[in-house]
Amino acid sequence: NAGVTQTPKFQVLKTGQSMTLQCAQDMNHNSMYWYRQDPGMGLRLIYYSASEGTTDKGEVPNGYNVSRLNKREFSLRLESAAPSQTSVYFCASTTGLSGEQYFGPGTRLTVT
Amino acid sequence: DQQVKQNSPSLSVQEGRISILNCDYTNSMFDYFLWYKKYPAEGPTFLISISSIKDKNEDGRFTVFLNKSAKHLSLHIVPSQPGDSAVYFCAASGTSGTYKYIFGTGTRLKVLA
């Protein structure tokens, strides 16, 4: 039982490049989330998927797209990376019953 | 506009004493609150939660208190241990069914041996 896994762990991009961050959970959770964490800003919600087949914007969706590929997988895509997207990205999931979210280990992204 | 605020960026406490971490919120529609703990280079892990129908919830050394009239919650850790040294985030939700949370900026707790 791996919980929530994220790939890659680290990534360096040049401005304008694109990439997809992958997230998978093996807990049969309905809801999945993408957050970014910046110094002094806490965790901010980018997008979430309340259930398979649905996605919704969070607080800071601009510059990102998401895909809920199936119940297990939720990916985050940066189409044209900008230095302002340098951050640590966390994926999380929850059953939707208790509200407690389980987080992955994070992806540290640097855009130069 | 920060809807969930943790006004103390850091806190140092002696081992064995009580740690009190505070969190304030502005949105009276929030009805469910959680605390998370985060170690460096790891994802946050869930600690304890409280619903707005309660004013206290305990789990071992961790107790969360909710004062709805003051829009304030606090996390008490008794006794504090060096392994408790981490960043603590509070989070609040008022969107029933989607569990969409707003997080505070975090408080770094250092427990001194």
PDB file of all heavy atoms in Angstrom, chain A residues 21-50:
ATOM      1  N   LEU A  21       2.958  16.720 -14.226  1.00  0.00           N
ATOM      2  CA  LEU A  21       3.230  16.090 -12.936  1.00  0.00           C
ATOM      3  C   LEU A  21       2.183  14.992 -12.734  1.00  0.00           C
ATOM      4  O   LEU A  21       0.989  15.215 -12.933  1.00  0.00           O
ATOM      5  CB  LEU A  21       3.124  17.101 -11.796  1.00  0.00           C
ATOM      6  CG  LEU A  21       4.291  18.048 -11.563  1.00  0.00           C
ATOM      7  CD1 LEU A  21       4.466  19.006 -12.725  1.00  0.00           C
ATOM      8  CD2 LEU A  21       4.072  18.841 -10.281  1.00  0.00           C
ATOM      9  N   GLN A  22       2.691  13.821 -12.349  1.00  0.00           N
ATOM     10  CA  GLN A  22       1.813  12.668 -12.203  1.00  0.00           C
ATOM     11  C   GLN A  22       1.516  12.396 -10.740  1.00  0.00           C
ATOM     12  O   GLN A  22       2.370  12.573  -9.879  1.00  0.00           O
ATOM     13  CB  GLN A  22       2.455  11.422 -12.820  1.00  0.00           C
ATOM     14  CG  GLN A  22       2.911  11.577 -14.259  1.00  0.00           C
ATOM     15  CD  GLN A  22       1.767  11.575 -15.249  1.00  0.00           C
ATOM     16  OE1 GLN A  22       0.609  11.373 -14.879  1.00  0.00           O
ATOM     17  NE2 GLN A  22       2.093  11.807 -16.523  1.00  0.00           N
ATOM     18  N   CYS A  23       0.310  11.951 -10.475  1.00  0.00           N
ATOM     19  CA  CYS A  23      -0.107  11.580  -9.123  1.00  0.00           C
ATOM     20  C   CYS A  23      -0.991  10.351  -9.199  1.00  0.00           C
ATOM     21  O   CYS A  23      -1.879  10.283 -10.063  1.00  0.00           O
ATOM     22  CB  CYS A  23      -0.871  12.732  -8.468  1.00  0.00           C
ATOM     23  SG  CYS A  23      -1.587  12.315  -6.866  1.00  0.00           S
ATOM     24  N   ALA A  24      -0.760   9.411  -8.289  1.00  0.00           N
ATOM     25  CA  ALA A  24      -1.599   8.218  -8.231  1.00  0.00           C
ATOM     26  C   ALA A  24      -1.824   7.844  -6.775  1.00  0.00           C
ATOM     27  O   ALA A  24      -0.947   8.021  -5.940  1.00  0.00           O
ATOM     28  CB  ALA A  24      -0.946   7.061  -8.982  1.00  0.00           C
ATOM     29  N   GLN A  25      -3.031   7.323  -6.494  1.00  0.00           N
ATOM     30  CA  GLN A  25      -3.335   6.855  -5.139  1.00  0.00           C
ATOM     31  C   GLN A  25      -3.944   5.467  -5.235  1.00  0.00           C
ATOM     32  O   GLN A  25      -4.683   5.154  -6.182  1.00  0.00           O
ATOM     33  CB  GLN A  25      -4.257   7.844  -4.397  1.00  0.00           C
ATOM     34  CG  GLN A  25      -5.521   8.245  -5.123  1.00  0.00           C
ATOM     35  CD  GLN A  25      -6.715   7.378  -4.864  1.00  0.00           C
ATOM     36  OE1 GLN A  25      -6.709   6.506  -3.990  1.00  0.00           O
ATOM     37  NE2 GLN A  25      -7.793   7.594  -5.621  1.00  0.00           N
ATOM     38  N   ASP A  26      -3.609   4.654  -4.234  1.00  0.00           N
ATOM     39  CA  ASP A  26      -4.087   3.272  -4.241  1.00  0.00           C
ATOM     40  C   ASP A  26      -5.032   3.003  -3.068  1.00  0.00           C
ATOM     41  O   ASP A  26      -5.156   1.869  -2.605  1.00  0.00           O
ATOM     42  CB  ASP A  26      -2.905   2.293  -4.226  1.00  0.00           C
ATOM     43  CG  ASP A  26      -2.033   2.435  -2.986  1.00  0.00           C
ATOM     44  OD1 ASP A  26      -2.361   3.254  -2.099  1.00  0.00           O
ATOM     45  OD2 ASP A  26      -1.009   1.734  -2.909  1.00  0.00           O
ATOM     46  N   MET A  27      -5.704   4.055  -2.586  1.00  0.00           N
ATOM     47  CA  MET A  27      -6.583   3.931  -1.424  1.00  0.00           C
ATOM     48  C   MET A  27      -8.058   3.954  -1.813  1.00  0.00           C
ATOM     49  O   MET A  27      -8.926   4.065  -0.946  1.00  0.00           O
ATOM     50  CB  MET A  27      -6.263   5.054  -0.436  1.00  0.00           C
ATOM     51  CG  MET A  27      -4.850   4.950   0.128  1.00  0.00           C
ATOM     52  SD  MET A  27      -4.373   6.373   1.132  1.00  0.00           S
ATOM     53  CE  MET A  27      -4.035   7.560  -0.139  1.00  0.00           C
ATOM     54  N   ASN A  28      -8.336   3.903  -3.112  1.00  0.00           N
ATOM     55  CA  ASN A  28      -9.711   3.920  -3.611  1.00  0.00           C
ATOM     56  C   ASN A  28     -10.455   5.201  -3.205  1.00  0.00           C
ATOM     57  O   ASN A  28     -11.669   5.177  -2.968  1.00  0.00           O
ATOM     58  CB  ASN A  28     -10.482   2.678  -3.132  1.00  0.00           C
ATOM     59  CG  ASN A  28     -11.692   2.389  -4.018  1.00  0.00           C
ATOM     60  OD1 ASN A  28     -11.650   2.605  -5.231  1.00  0.00           O
ATOM     61  ND2 ASN A  28     -12.768   1.911  -3.429  1.00  0.00           N
ATOM     62  N   HIS A  29      -9.711   6.305  -3.122  1.00  0.00           N
ATOM     63  CA  HIS A  29     -10.319   7.577  -2.741  1.00  0.00           C
ATOM     64  C   HIS A  29     -11.059   8.200  -3.907  1.00  0.00           C
ATOM     65  O   HIS A  29     -10.654   8.091  -5.061  1.00  0.00           O
ATOM     66  CB  HIS A  29      -9.245   8.549  -2.243  1.00  0.00           C
ATOM     67  CG  HIS A  29      -8.746   8.210  -0.885  1.00  0.00           C
ATOM     68  ND1 HIS A  29      -7.646   8.822  -0.330  1.00  0.00           N
ATOM     69  CD2 HIS A  29      -9.199   7.344   0.050  1.00  0.00           C
ATOM     70  CE1 HIS A  29      -7.456   8.353   0.888  1.00  0.00           C
ATOM     71  NE2 HIS A  29      -8.381   7.451   1.137  1.00  0.00           N
ATOM     72  N   ASN A  30     -12.150   8.901  -3.585  1.00  0.00           N
ATOM     73  CA  ASN A  30     -12.931   9.555  -4.638  1.00  0.00           C
ATOM     74  C   ASN A  30     -12.339  10.892  -5.059  1.00  0.00           C
ATOM     75  O   ASN A  30     -12.353  11.250  -6.228  1.00  0.00           O
ATOM     76  CB  ASN A  30     -14.363   9.793  -4.153  1.00  0.00           C
ATOM     77  CG  ASN A  30     -15.128   8.509  -3.994  1.00  0.00           C
ATOM     78  OD1 ASN A  30     -15.005   7.597  -4.809  1.00  0.00           O
ATOM     79  ND2 ASN A  30     -15.913   8.409  -2.945  1.00  0.00           N
ATOM     80  N   SER A  31     -11.874  11.681  -4.090  1.00  0.00           N
ATOM     81  CA  SER A  31     -11.464  13.057  -4.367  1.00  0.00           C
ATOM     82  C   SER A  31      -9.952  13.182  -4.391  1.00  0.00           C
ATOM     83  O   SER A  31      -9.254  12.590  -3.567  1.00  0.00           O
ATOM     84  CB  SER A  31     -12.032  14.004  -3.300  1.00  0.00           C
ATOM     85  OG  SER A  31     -13.435  13.917  -3.254  1.00  0.00           O
ATOM     86  N   MET A  32      -9.465  14.003  -5.339  1.00  0.00           N
ATOM     87  CA  MET A  32      -8.028  14.240  -5.449  1.00  0.00           C
ATOM     88  C   MET A  32      -7.770  15.723  -5.663  1.00  0.00           C
ATOM     89  O   MET A  32      -8.635  16.444  -6.191  1.00  0.00           O
ATOM     90  CB  MET A  32      -7.433  13.404  -6.593  1.00  0.00           C
ATOM     91  CG  MET A  32      -7.562  11.901  -6.359  1.00  0.00           C
ATOM     92  SD  MET A  32      -6.754  10.881  -7.592  1.00  0.00           S
ATOM     93  CE  MET A  32      -5.016  11.115  -7.172  1.00  0.00           C
ATOM     94  N   TYR A  33      -6.593  16.175  -5.244  1.00  0.00           N
ATOM     95  CA  TYR A  33      -6.278  17.607  -5.186  1.00  0.00           C
ATOM     96  C   TYR A  33      -4.834  17.857  -5.640  1.00  0.00           C
ATOM     97  O   TYR A  33      -3.957  17.016  -5.428  1.00  0.00           O
ATOM     98  CB  TYR A  33      -6.403  18.117  -3.742  1.00  0.00           C
ATOM     99  CG  TYR A  33      -7.742  17.864  -3.111  1.00  0.00           C
ATOM    100  CD1 TYR A  33      -8.080  16.612  -2.619  1.00  0.00           C
ATOM    101  CD2 TYR A  33      -8.670  18.888  -2.992  1.00  0.00           C
ATOM    102  CE1 TYR A  33      -9.309  16.373  -2.045  1.00  0.00           C
ATOM    103  CE2 TYR A  33      -9.906  18.667  -2.406  1.00  0.00           C
ATOM    104  CZ  TYR A  33     -10.220  17.402  -1.941  1.00  0.00           C
ATOM    105  OH  TYR A  33     -11.445  17.181  -1.374  1.00  0.00           O
ATOM    106  N   TRP A  34      -4.624  19.055  -6.192  1.00  0.00           N
ATOM    107  CA  TRP A  34      -3.274  19.550  -6.433  1.00  0.00           C
ATOM    108  C   TRP A  34      -3.100  20.875  -5.701  1.00  0.00           C
ATOM    109  O   TRP A  34      -3.928  21.781  -5.829  1.00  0.00           O
ATOM    110  CB  TRP A  34      -3.012  19.781  -7.924  1.00  0.00           C
ATOM    111  CG  TRP A  34      -2.587  18.546  -8.644  1.00  0.00           C
ATOM    112  CD1 TRP A  34      -3.328  17.786  -9.502  1.00  0.00           C
ATOM    113  CD2 TRP A  34      -1.298  17.927  -8.596  1.00  0.00           C
ATOM    114  NE1 TRP A  34      -2.592  16.731  -9.976  1.00  0.00           N
ATOM    115  CE2 TRP A  34      -1.337  16.793  -9.429  1.00  0.00           C
ATOM    116  CE3 TRP A  34      -0.106  18.210  -7.924  1.00  0.00           C
ATOM    117  CZ2 TRP A  34      -0.245  15.946  -9.616  1.00  0.00           C
ATOM    118  CZ3 TRP A  34       0.977  17.378  -8.100  1.00  0.00           C
ATOM    119  CH2 TRP A  34       0.906  16.259  -8.946  1.00  0.00           C
ATOM    120  N   TYR A  35      -2.007  20.968  -4.916  1.00  0.00           N
ATOM    121  CA  TYR A  35      -1.654  22.180  -4.181  1.00  0.00           C
ATOM    122  C   TYR A  35      -0.255  22.617  -4.588  1.00  0.00           C
ATOM    123  O   TYR A  35       0.564  21.820  -5.017  1.00  0.00           O
ATOM    124  CB  TYR A  35      -1.612  21.910  -2.671  1.00  0.00           C
ATOM    125  CG  TYR A  35      -2.916  21.607  -2.013  1.00  0.00           C
ATOM    126  CD1 TYR A  35      -3.360  20.279  -1.878  1.00  0.00           C
ATOM    127  CD2 TYR A  35      -3.706  22.609  -1.482  1.00  0.00           C
ATOM    128  CE1 TYR A  35      -4.557  19.986  -1.252  1.00  0.00           C
ATOM    129  CE2 TYR A  35      -4.906  22.324  -0.837  1.00  0.00           C
ATOM    130  CZ  TYR A  35      -5.321  21.015  -0.732  1.00  0.00           C
ATOM    131  OH  TYR A  35      -6.500  20.731  -0.104  1.00  0.00           O
ATOM    132  N   ARG A  36       0.010  23.887  -4.366  1.00  0.00           N
ATOM    133  CA  ARG A  36       1.383  24.366  -4.418  1.00  0.00           C
ATOM    134  C   ARG A  36       1.722  25.011  -3.084  1.00  0.00           C
ATOM    135  O   ARG A  36       0.841  25.601  -2.423  1.00  0.00           O
ATOM    136  CB  ARG A  36       1.608  25.339  -5.586  1.00  0.00           C
ATOM    137  CG  ARG A  36       0.776  26.576  -5.594  1.00  0.00           C
ATOM    138  CD  ARG A  36       1.125  27.484  -6.780  1.00  0.00           C
ATOM    139  NE  ARG A  36       2.420  28.131  -6.619  1.00  0.00           N
ATOM    140  CZ  ARG A  36       3.013  28.869  -7.550  1.00  0.00           C
ATOM    141  NH1 ARG A  36       2.428  29.057  -8.725  1.00  0.00           N
ATOM    142  NH2 ARG A  36       4.201  29.423  -7.333  1.00  0.00           N
ATOM    143  N   GLN A  37       2.987  24.843  -2.684  1.00  0.00           N
ATOM    144  CA  GLN A  37       3.440  25.460  -1.450  1.00  0.00           C
ATOM    145  C   GLN A  37       4.593  26.388  -1.750  1.00  0.00           C
ATOM    146  O   GLN A  37       5.619  25.974  -2.294  1.00  0.00           O
ATOM    147  CB  GLN A  37       3.886  24.424  -0.414  1.00  0.00           C
ATOM    148  CG  GLN A  37       4.227  25.069   0.918  1.00  0.00           C
ATOM    149  CD  GLN A  37       4.959  24.165   1.878  1.00  0.00           C
ATOM    150  OE1 GLN A  37       5.377  23.067   1.546  1.00  0.00           O
ATOM    151  NE2 GLN A  37       5.096  24.629   3.101  1.00  0.00           N
ATOM    152  N   ASP A  38       4.433  27.637  -1.377  1.00  0.00           N
ATOM    153  CA  ASP A  38       5.465  28.650  -1.548  1.00  0.00           C
ATOM    154  C   ASP A  38       5.827  29.214  -0.182  1.00  0.00           C
ATOM    155  O   ASP A  38       4.987  29.247   0.720  1.00  0.00           O
ATOM    156  CB  ASP A  38       4.959  29.767  -2.463  1.00  0.00           C
ATOM    157  CG  ASP A  38       4.537  29.238  -3.822  1.00  0.00           C
ATOM    158  OD1 ASP A  38       5.417  28.763  -4.548  1.00  0.00           O
ATOM    159  OD2 ASP A  38       3.332  29.277  -4.132  1.00  0.00           O
ATOM    160  N   PRO A  39       7.058  29.680  -0.017  1.00  0.00           N
ATOM    161  CA  PRO A  39       7.482  30.223   1.282  1.00  0.00           C
ATOM    162  C   PRO A  39       6.539  31.328   1.759  1.00  0.00           C
ATOM    163  O   PRO A  39       6.223  32.245   1.008  1.00  0.00           O
ATOM    164  CB  PRO A  39       8.880  30.770   0.989  1.00  0.00           C
ATOM    165  CG  PRO A  39       9.369  29.979  -0.177  1.00  0.00           C
ATOM    166  CD  PRO A  39       8.150  29.699  -1.011  1.00  0.00           C
ATOM    167  N   GLY A  40       6.085  31.221   3.003  1.00  0.00           N
ATOM    168  CA  GLY A  40       5.222  32.232   3.593  1.00  0.00           C
ATOM    169  C   GLY A  40       3.785  32.221   3.090  1.00  0.00           C
ATOM    170  O   GLY A  40       2.988  33.081   3.483  1.00  0.00           O
ATOM    171  N   MET A  41       3.457  31.269   2.205  1.00  0.00           N
ATOM    172  CA  MET A  41       2.110  31.272   1.609  1.00  0.00           C
ATOM    173  C   MET A  41       1.291  30.059   2.013  1.00  0.00           C
ATOM    174  O   MET A  41       0.137  29.960   1.654  1.00  0.00           O
ATOM    175  CB  MET A  41       2.211  31.307   0.074  1.00  0.00           C
ATOM    176  CG  MET A  41       2.926  32.500  -0.488  1.00  0.00           C
ATOM    177  SD  MET A  41       1.989  34.002  -0.267  1.00  0.00           S
ATOM    178  CE  MET A  41       0.720  33.795  -1.493  1.00  0.00           C
ATOM    179  N   GLY A  42       1.841  29.116   2.708  1.00  0.00           N
ATOM    180  CA  GLY A  42       1.080  27.919   3.029  1.00  0.00           C
ATOM    181  C   GLY A  42       0.799  27.101   1.784  1.00  0.00           C
ATOM    182  O   GLY A  42       1.491  27.219   0.772  1.00  0.00           O
ATOM    183  N   LEU A  43      -0.229  26.275   1.850  1.00  0.00           N
ATOM    184  CA  LEU A  43      -0.634  25.443   0.713  1.00  0.00           C
ATOM    185  C   LEU A  43      -1.810  26.100   0.014  1.00  0.00           C
ATOM    186  O   LEU A  43      -2.803  26.448   0.658  1.00  0.00           O
ATOM    187  CB  LEU A  43      -1.049  24.052   1.192  1.00  0.00           C
ATOM    188  CG  LEU A  43       0.094  23.179   1.655  1.00  0.00           C
ATOM    189  CD1 LEU A  43      -0.161  22.632   3.035  1.00  0.00           C
ATOM    190  CD2 LEU A  43       0.308  22.036   0.687  1.00  0.00           C
ATOM    191  N   ARG A  44      -1.720  26.252  -1.291  1.00  0.00           N
ATOM    192  CA  ARG A  44      -2.810  26.845  -2.043  1.00  0.00           C
ATOM    193  C   ARG A  44      -3.334  25.846  -3.068  1.00  0.00           C
ATOM    194  O   ARG A  44      -2.559  25.228  -3.792  1.00  0.00           O
ATOM    195  CB  ARG A  44      -2.352  28.134  -2.728  1.00  0.00           C
ATOM    196  CG  ARG A  44      -2.047  29.252  -1.749  1.00  0.00           C
ATOM    197  CD  ARG A  44      -1.651  30.537  -2.462  1.00  0.00           C
ATOM    198  NE  ARG A  44      -0.372  30.405  -3.146  1.00  0.00           N
ATOM    199  CZ  ARG A  44       0.093  31.292  -4.008  1.00  0.00           C
ATOM    200  NH1 ARG A  44      -0.614  32.357  -4.325  1.00  0.00           N
ATOM    201  NH2 ARG A  44       1.280  31.112  -4.575  1.00  0.00           N
ATOM    202  N   LEU A  45      -4.650  25.732  -3.123  1.00  0.00           N
ATOM    203  CA  LEU A  45      -5.288  24.749  -3.987  1.00  0.00           C
ATOM    204  C   LEU A  45      -5.269  25.221  -5.438  1.00  0.00           C
ATOM    205  O   LEU A  45      -5.708  26.328  -5.744  1.00  0.00           O
ATOM    206  CB  LEU A  45      -6.729  24.512  -3.522  1.00  0.00           C
ATOM    207  CG  LEU A  45      -7.539  23.481  -4.281  1.00  0.00           C
ATOM    208  CD1 LEU A  45      -6.934  22.090  -4.115  1.00  0.00           C
ATOM    209  CD2 LEU A  45      -8.985  23.499  -3.795  1.00  0.00           C
ATOM    210  N   ILE A  46      -4.771  24.368  -6.331  1.00  0.00           N
ATOM    211  CA  ILE A  46      -4.711  24.716  -7.751  1.00  0.00           C
ATOM    212  C   ILE A  46      -5.976  24.208  -8.455  1.00  0.00           C
ATOM    213  O   ILE A  46      -6.721  24.961  -9.063  1.00  0.00           O
ATOM    214  CB  ILE A  46      -3.458  24.097  -8.404  1.00  0.00           C
ATOM    215  CG1 ILE A  46      -2.194  24.526  -7.656  1.00  0.00           C
ATOM    216  CG2 ILE A  46      -3.360  24.520  -9.874  1.00  0.00           C
ATOM    217  CD1 ILE A  46      -0.932  23.782  -8.102  1.00  0.00           C
ATOM    218  N   TYR A  47      -6.182  22.915  -8.386  1.00  0.00           N
ATOM    219  CA  TYR A  47      -7.355  22.245  -8.947  1.00  0.00           C
ATOM    220  C   TYR A  47      -7.709  21.083  -8.044  1.00  0.00           C
ATOM    221  O   TYR A  47      -6.862  20.561  -7.326  1.00  0.00           O
ATOM    222  CB  TYR A  47      -7.051  21.678 -10.349  1.00  0.00           C
ATOM    223  CG  TYR A  47      -7.314  22.606 -11.503  1.00  0.00           C
ATOM    224  CD1 TYR A  47      -6.296  23.411 -12.006  1.00  0.00           C
ATOM    225  CD2 TYR A  47      -8.566  22.663 -12.104  1.00  0.00           C
ATOM    226  CE1 TYR A  47      -6.522  24.252 -13.087  1.00  0.00           C
ATOM    227  CE2 TYR A  47      -8.804  23.503 -13.190  1.00  0.00           C
ATOM    228  CZ  TYR A  47      -7.774  24.301 -13.669  1.00  0.00           C
ATOM    229  OH  TYR A  47      -8.001  25.133 -14.738  1.00  0.00           O
ATOM    230  N   TYR A  48      -8.961  20.661  -8.138  1.00  0.00           N
ATOM    231  CA  TYR A  48      -9.358  19.454  -7.445  1.00  0.00           C
ATOM    232  C   TYR A  48     -10.363  18.679  -8.288  1.00  0.00           C
ATOM    233  O   TYR A  48     -10.970  19.220  -9.225  1.00  0.00           O
ATOM    234  CB  TYR A  48      -9.902  19.750  -6.046  1.00  0.00           C
ATOM    235  CG  TYR A  48     -11.237  20.459  -6.007  1.00  0.00           C
ATOM    236  CD1 TYR A  48     -12.410  19.772  -5.698  1.00  0.00           C
ATOM    237  CD2 TYR A  48     -11.318  21.827  -6.248  1.00  0.00           C
ATOM    238  CE1 TYR A  48     -13.622  20.425  -5.641  1.00  0.00           C
ATOM    239  CE2 TYR A  48     -12.529  22.488  -6.202  1.00  0.00           C
ATOM    240  CZ  TYR A  48     -13.680  21.785  -5.890  1.00  0.00           C
ATOM    241  OH  TYR A  48     -14.885  22.431  -5.836  1.00  0.00           O
ATOM    242  N   SER A  49     -10.492  17.396  -7.929  1.00  0.00           N
ATOM    243  CA  SER A  49     -11.438  16.524  -8.601  1.00  0.00           C
ATOM    244  C   SER A  49     -12.250  15.823  -7.512  1.00  0.00           C
ATOM    245  O   SER A  49     -11.736  14.977  -6.799  1.00  0.00           O
ATOM    246  CB  SER A  49     -10.693  15.491  -9.450  1.00  0.00           C
ATOM    247  OG  SER A  49     -11.586  14.505  -9.938  1.00  0.00           O
ATOM    248  N   ALA A  50     -13.510  16.225  -7.376  1.00  0.00           N
ATOM    249  CA  ALA A  50     -14.345  15.673  -6.307  1.00  0.00           C
ATOM    250  C   ALA A  50     -14.630  14.192  -6.549  1.00  0.00           C
ATOM    251  O   ALA A  50     -14.799  13.422  -5.606  1.00  0.00           O
ATOM    252  CB  ALA A  50     -15.646  16.451  -6.189  1.00  0.00           C
TER     253      ALA A  50
END
